[in-house]
Amino acid sequence: MSATPTRRIPAVVPLLALLALTGCTVGPAHPAHARRITVPQPTASAPSPSASPSATAKPPFKSLAWYVAQVPTFPEAPIPQPVPLPTTGTAAFWHRLPTDQKVAFITIDDGGLARPPGAIDFIWAARIPVTMFLNSPAAVEHTDYFRQIQVAGGMVENHTINHTSLAGRSYAYQKQEICGAADRLEALFGTRSTLFRPPFGEYDSTTLQAAHDCGAKAVLHWTETVHEGKVRYQTPEKVVRPGDILLMHFRPALMDDLLAALKAIHRAGLTPALLTDYVR
């Protein structure tokens, strides 16, 4: 598959002024990133009420400015309270994180199908805390794209090498798929993944053991999916609850999916957070 044209990291430099205005710290740690998502506020140099109408015109539909303007303002996220991990020598498995804190988690899977360039700028400008579960071949082929999201504060985690179902496979096979991907991702992005998502959500006890032996602290499923701008709930309540994990994919409508997830989290009175702040 040919690589989708992406913007290099220097291309997002024009956004740095915007990020500075919202208090965003640029860098891998990006401490402000998981705390608050805000629509950029007017500055002292903003046009006066007598300025021309074009200066205050609504941004074009589905432009970057339009997406950013749609993002709700969230309460400050609580100081993360890490969740307890098993002490039995195996990785935890969760559909949602066992926390009562008012947070939810945005995750994006795969990476080989589509990588909308505008999503990078949206994540930068709106400071969206995302966790990427990448297949290692896609990560190798499109490293620059995912690295830009990582620099914006996104986390890179493990989704195997070949994206095949692991349930029922031998320990050796599962360990190769998980450890092999972890090794490649670490070489590409500089950090060892500590979270694992099995392809299709299919796993068994061998998966939990192999994931643990490859350095994963938790194996994660999901509680909502997001596709083409629509949140699909998997519980009768149809509301995002504390600790919920929202799943989407690197697909053409990723910006719509991110916005839909943010609005659903906001309607529930929650704030987006990073999984790695809670699974340590």
Side-chain angles (χ1 to χ4, degrees):
M1 179 184 296
S2 61
T4 300
T6 64
R7 301 182 186 181
R8 303 288 174 180
I9 290 176
V12 299
V13 169
L15 283 172
L16 295 183
L18 171 62
L19 296 172
L21 292 175
T22 58
C24 181
T25 300
V26 177
H30 206 351
H33 187 81
R35 293 290 176 266
R36 193 176 185 85
I37 297 176
T38 59
V39 176
Q41 299 299 311
T43 67
S45 60
S48 65
S50 61
S52 64
S54 61
T56 56
K58 293 182 179 180
F61 181 60
K62 291 203 171 182
S63 64
L64 173 61
W66 182 87
Y67 278 101
V68 173
Q70 301 299 309
V71 175
T73 299
F74 292 86
E76 189 77 12
I79 297 174
Q81 296 178 357
V83 297
L85 295 170
T87 58
T88 56
T90 187
F93 176 83
W94 291 309
H95 288 270
R96 68 164 50 85
L97 257 63
T99 180
D100 293 328
Q101 292 195 297
K102 293 185 176 182
V103 294
F105 307 95
I106 296 174
T107 66
I108 316 174
D109 278 14
D110 298 345
L113 178 61
R115 293 152 304 282
I120 298 173
D121 293 344
F122 187 30
I123 290 168
W124 265 101
R127 303 188 321 187
I128 307 172
V130 300
T131 301
M132 300 176 281
F133 287 93
L134 301 179
N135 303 126
S136 58
V140 170
E141 186 174 357
H142 309 288
T143 306
D144 181 71
Y145 181 90
F146 302 118
R147 190 173 286 154
Q148 289 180 66
I149 297 176
Q150 181 191 34
V151 170
M155 303 302 296
V156 176
E157 302 296 345
N158 191 340
H159 199 42
T160 72
I161 298 174
N162 294 306
H163 201 268
T164 57
S165 178
L166 298 180
R169 305 299 290 264
S170 69
Y171 172 81
Y173 179 87
Q174 296 200 43
K175 185 177 180 183
Q176 172 56 31
E177 279 289 314
I178 301 170
C179 286
D183 292 343
R184 294 184 192 180
L185 294 173
E186 183 176 14
L188 291 170
F189 301 101
T191 57
R192 184 81 174 177
S193 60
T194 59
L195 304 176
F196 174 66
R197 173 168 283 155
F200 317 109
E202 297 173 352
Y203 76 102
D204 57 18
S205 60
T206 302
T207 310
L208 302 184
Q209 185 64 59
H212 172 271
D213 295 346
C214 293
K217 297 177 180 178
V219 175
L220 298 175
H221 205 263
W222 55 86
T223 38
E224 288 86 22
T225 62
V226 192
H227 181 52
E228 295 185 343
K230 182 176 295 186
V231 178
R232 292 170 170 81
Y233 297 91
Q234 302 190 20
T235 58
E237 297 84 357
K238 296 189 181 303
V239 64
V240 181
R241 291 178 288 177
D244 273 10
I245 302 170
L246 289 83
L247 165 68
M248 61 192 71
H249 292 79
F250 284 100
R251 290 174 174 158
L254 179 57
M255 293 174 73
D256 293 316
D257 294 345
L258 288 167
L259 184 58
L262 291 171
K263 289 183 175 181
I265 292 169
H266 183 263
R267 284 196 300 271
L270 309 178
T271 298
L274 284 174
L275 285 165
T276 49
D277 284 343
Y278 285 80
V279 184
R280 299 178 184 171

